[in-house]
Amino acid sequence: MGRKIILDCDPGHDDAIAIIMAGVSEDIELLGITTVAGNSYLENTTRNALIITELAGIDVEVHPGASKPLIRNQIVAHDIHGYSGLEGANLKNPTKEPSKEDAVHFMARMVEENDDVTIVATGPLTNVALFAKMYPQLIKKVREIVTMGGGIAFGNVTPAAEFNIYADPEAADIVFKLDVSKTIAPLDMTHQAYIQKNDVIKIREFGSDILNTIADLLEFFMKTYREVFGINGAPLHDPTTIAYLIKPDMFEWENYHIEIELKGQFTYGATVADVWKVTKNKPNFRVLTKIDRKSFIDLLLDLLKKLQK
Ligand code: RIB
Ligand code: CA
């Protein structure tokens, strides 16, 4: 039996790869997907999750969650993911509908029915914060929250803040204060997990329509990263959370106390990590600091290979 997870996401190209890795890996039991507004509007991220699960033959329900952040104005990342949130490939319309059970109620039911659920969050933390506020008594049953977000040394939406956190800092603040085992995959590590042209060539060499579609999506993602950030090779931020659950030994980590800046003129949404333990705050996160890129890409290709039909 694999690690039981709920994947809360905002697909998004890298979320899409995370969905596939979680759905295909025998080391993961994907209980369901919950969607949140983030890279694009909720109806788009939900539709994209349905498209990807059907494309990859992953038989799980998609539970829509929050369509807006808790307090701040909504932002999206169409410059990276396109208006639909998943531009760059010829994708079939989904045939399935989203579940009638919303994200927060699904999270609560899964945590009530299972003793060791891990919540993996690869978008803004709005759904996870709402779950924690509505069902505080269930938090102690959650095995771990693994989130892609934040940046110790830098941001990507502002110099100080990373997109998932910046899109809903008040939600992140609620989640970061939860008394539960928490692991974070910040930009400092995820930018080591970049995919490059020759990796995409290997995916195309598998020679299947599904994998060519995934290669098309990855090439779009690489193109926007080149245009927006001027970097060669797109960081596969979200899939690193799944790789951590499957093969933690490809990572290095430290334990830091991290807080969310909610007031700064230049630093709103920053993840402020006490790296040198200058406060007396007990570390509240396992912070993934390094990843072995070759092991990560090898894992990705091994899992994608299972899709070729
Ligand atoms: O900053 C990168 C994160 O923001 C990733 O999760 C990406 O999908 C976007 O949601
Ligand atoms: Ca995401």
Side-chain angles (χ1 to χ4, degrees):
M1 290 298 274
R3 179 87 176 249
K4 288 179 181 171
I5 76 164
I6 295 168
L7 178 52
D8 186 67
C9 54
D10 62 336
H13 292 71
D14 53 332
D15 304 76
I17 301 299
I19 290 172
I20 292 169
M21 289 175 72
V24 166
S25 170
E26 285 160 13
D27 298 308
I28 302 280
E29 184 183 345
L30 182 57
L31 298 173
I33 290 170
T34 53
T35 51
V36 65
N39 285 319
S40 189
Y41 307 113
L42 179 66
E43 55 274 19
N44 288 344
T45 60
T46 302
R47 181 176 184 279
N48 295 336
L50 289 167
I51 288 172
I52 290 299
T53 49
E54 289 187 32
L55 175 75
I58 299 168
D59 185 19
V60 292
E61 295 251 71
V62 174
H63 302 262
S67 59
K68 293 276 187 298
L70 295 184
I71 294 175
R72 65 154 295 155
N73 61 306
Q74 182 170 20
I75 61 167
V76 290
H78 290 168
D79 56 338
I80 298 292
H81 300 277
Y83 177 77
S84 74
L86 201 60
E87 302 286 1
N90 182 14
L91 299 169
K92 289 200 184 88
N93 290 326
T95 58
K96 284 195 315 183
E97 289 297 317
S99 169
K100 295 269 180 287
E101 184 181 32
D102 69 73
V104 174
H105 287 96
F106 175 71
M107 285 179 182
R109 182 166 62 84
M110 287 299 105
V111 173
E112 274 166 348
E113 294 174 1
N114 301 275
D115 286 333
D116 58 346
V117 173
T118 296
I119 296 176
V120 179
T122 63
L125 290 167
T126 320
N127 289 340
V128 184
L130 289 169
F131 165 63
K133 284 295 183 190
M134 287 172 65
Y135 299 93
Q137 74 284 6
L138 291 180
I139 289 302
K140 59 182 177 299
K141 279 198 72 187
V142 173
R143 175 172 170 176
E144 184 176 13
I145 295 176
V146 181
T147 186
M148 187 280 139
I152 310 302
F154 53 87
N156 58 3
V157 188
T158 75
E162 176 278 329
F163 178 82
N164 285 340
I165 306 298
Y166 189 67
D168 197 343
E170 287 74 16
D173 186 50
I174 290 167
V175 174
F176 277 42
K177 287 173 175 161
L178 293 178
D179 182 12
V180 64
S181 172
K182 297 187 290 291
T183 298
I184 191 165
L187 294 173
D188 315 72
M189 180 276 292
T190 63
H191 270 267
Q192 300 167 34
Y194 54 86
I195 191 160
Q196 287 185 320
K197 184 82 186 137
N198 61 339
D199 305 317
V200 178
I201 290 169
K202 285 184 190 147
I203 294 171
R204 290 201 188 282
E205 283 168 354
F206 292 138
S208 85
D209 291 347
I210 295 178
L211 290 167
N212 279 326
T213 299
I214 292 168
D216 292 344
L217 291 171
L218 287 168
E219 282 178 352
F220 178 90
F221 192 47
M222 286 164 55
K223 175 172 162 290
T224 57
Y225 257 84
R226 204 167 31 249
E227 288 164 357
V228 173
F229 295 103
I231 55 177
N232 234 345
L236 289 181
H237 306 284
D238 299 335
T240 63
T241 60
I242 306 301
Y244 163 71
L245 293 177
I246 297 171
K247 283 194 176 165
D249 58 2
M250 73 169 76
F251 293 86
E252 290 182 24
W253 55 74
E254 299 288 346
N255 295 320
Y256 295 149
H257 184 272
I258 306 181
E259 292 194 75
I260 305 293
E261 174 55 66
L262 296 177
K263 295 191 172 57
Q265 180 184 351
F266 303 108
T267 55
Y268 179 57
T271 42
V272 183
D274 184 4
V275 172
W276 296 108
K277 314 261 188 295
V278 294
T279 69
K280 295 290 166 271
N281 295 320
K282 196 163 84 53
N284 57 354
F285 270 97
R286 169 176 289 185
V287 179
L288 304 180
T289 53
K290 286 199 181 116
I291 186 170
D292 178 302
R293 189 185 97 85
K294 184 182 179 317
S295 305
F296 172 68
I297 296 296
D298 288 349
L299 174 64
L300 171 64
L301 295 180
D302 281 351
L303 292 173
L304 290 180
K305 214 174 347 188
K306 295 173 185 280
L307 289 179
Q308 54 186 353
K309 287 190 176 111

